[in-house]
Amino acid sequence: DRLFAATYDRFIMSNLTPQTVLSIRHWTDTLFSFTCTRDPSFRFDNGQFTLVGLEVNNKPLVRAYSMASANYEENLEFLSIKVQDGPLTSRLQHLKIGDSVYISKKSTGTLVTHHLLPGSTLWLLSTGTGLAPFMSIIKDPEIYSHYERIVLTHTCRFIDELAYKEYITQSLPQNEHIGELIRDQLIYYPTVTREPFRNRGRITDLIQGGKLFEDTDLPPFSVERDRLMLCGSPHMLKDTRALLKAMGFNEGTHSQPGHYVVERAFVD
Ligand code: A2P
């Protein structure tokens, strides 16, 4: 077993490259993001995830993290929760500029457009750190040629947890390359469940009660027109899946594109 463990660790390490932390932002006591250098050979599709971690006691300790940066950006960006007794995040939350983090050489994931049938509105439904892959996707100019409209929803318990809110509403629309696409085609719909806010409630309730459609001025989901990507807490995914299934939506896979795709946000 020890030989196996050592071989396994070496295998994991051989697929990781050390990168340097460039910036850190603490959004709340339980949420932070950081940027780091990117290996020139690291390639990914917007919406995918990779492995991120640290060396702890001479062993690699890695978890799946979605890239919040777009694949044309020079550096990588990740959004993470802080779990006080979490094996990785209890350490990762103390990152400082100049520290090393390990990043896998590979990326994968289901939140990619070729798992979806053609459609006209793409809904990106997220809770918590499930926002991360959608940050990458909304910065992808190509997505705006596949869909007439992109709607990004982000549900958190508290307003402070709506990471990147100002970036999405203020910086991105002014971006010299994709600002016009963002202004014309992106709708951002943040919602909060545990304190007063202009949009309140779980996304499942807002879908079922029709509030989401009233507020965005869009028609309710139809199998012909609407496509969805879901990323967030396991409970949200389970309930939203059930809701979509009841409306006749099928989940897409690599071999069989469908009406929606799902990825679980990192929770440890
Ligand atoms: P709520 O505050 O009502 O539990 P968490 O921080 O637990 O990961 O949750 C992130 C957000 O996802 C919270 O706003 C939470 O709402 C919401 N959420 C949790 N479970 C579900 C669910 N089953 N369906 C929809 N939203 C959910």
Side-chain angles (χ1 to χ4, degrees):
D1 272 9
R2 285 200 13 222
L3 183 63
F4 173 79
T7 309
Y8 178 80
D9 288 347
R10 268 203 306 279
F11 172 74
I12 298 278
M13 280 311 261
S14 70
N15 280 293
L16 301 172
T17 63
Q19 300 298 325
T20 306
V21 173
L22 299 171
S23 69
I24 303 125
R25 174 160 184 182
H26 293 274
W27 300 90
T28 69
D29 290 352
T30 57
L31 186 69
F32 76 108
S33 56
F34 67 93
T35 63
C36 68
T37 53
R38 172 178 174 177
D39 192 279
S41 65
F42 182 64
R43 294 276 174 272
F44 63 97
D45 292 332
N46 293 312
Q48 288 190 316
F49 65 85
T50 188
L51 296 176
V52 174
L54 298 169
E55 194 175 321
V56 178
N57 303 327
N58 296 315
K59 287 190 195 116
L61 178 61
V62 292
R63 294 286 184 270
Y65 274 92
S66 297
M67 272 66 75
S69 45
N71 59 8
Y72 55 81
E73 293 185 285
E74 189 182 351
N75 301 318
L76 297 176
E77 181 153 2
F78 301 98
L79 178 64
S80 179
I81 49 168
K82 309 177 200 175
V83 181
Q84 291 323 320
D85 55 358
L88 180 62
T89 64
S90 62
R91 297 178 167 95
L92 207 58
Q93 64 180 292
H94 301 298
L95 281 179
K96 297 272 176 292
I97 292 172
D99 285 354
S100 275
V101 283
Y102 286 96
I103 311 284
S104 173
K105 294 173 185 170
K106 306 218 166 81
S107 58
T108 186
T110 56
L111 303 177
V112 286
T113 43
H114 55 264
H115 289 188
L116 292 173
L117 295 162
S120 56
T121 302
L122 177 66
W123 298 82
L124 307 171
L125 309 185
S126 67
T127 64
T129 56
L131 175 71
F134 301 148
M135 289 309 297
S136 169
I137 288 172
I138 64 169
K139 286 189 267 186
D140 186 344
E142 248 187 60
I143 200 85
Y144 298 94
S145 61
H146 292 308
Y147 297 93
E148 283 170 28
R149 194 177 288 101
I150 316 286
V151 186
L152 169 61
T153 80
H154 188 205
T155 305
C156 294
R157 295 177 182 199
F158 304 106
I159 296 167
D160 280 356
E161 296 171 321
L162 295 171
Y164 302 110
K165 178 156 53 81
E166 279 74 31
Y167 177 76
I168 298 167
T169 57
Q170 285 158 39
S171 305
L172 267 186
Q174 303 307 323
N175 181 285
E176 62 171 317
H177 304 293
I178 57 165
E180 194 177 339
L181 295 171
I182 301 276
R183 292 195 302 273
D184 292 348
Q185 290 172 260
L186 179 71
I187 298 175
Y188 169 61
Y189 190 79
T191 93
V192 159
T193 50
R194 302 200 187 185
E195 67 179 334
F197 186 60
R198 62 175 188 277
N199 307 319
R200 266 207 87 166
R202 291 183 166 194
I203 199 66
T204 40
D205 295 334
L206 296 166
I207 293 167
Q208 282 180 301
K211 187 87 170 48
L212 176 63
F213 309 107
E214 274 169 43
D215 288 348
T216 54
D217 212 9
L218 291 170
F221 293 157
S222 93
V223 172
E224 287 72 39
R225 184 187 48 237
D226 297 289
R227 301 293 170 258
L228 302 99
M229 293 186 179
L230 320 179
C231 190
S233 80
H235 286 125
M236 182 281 272
L237 298 181
K238 181 167 168 279
D239 291 355
T240 312
R241 250 195 186 117
L243 218 140
L244 292 174
K245 206 171 163 206
M247 291 186 221
F249 284 70
N250 295 322
E251 187 167 348
T253 63
H254 182 67
S255 52
Q256 180 127 38
H259 307 114
Y260 71 95
V261 286
V262 177
E263 201 123 82
R264 195 179 148 149
F266 169 66
V267 286
D268 194 9

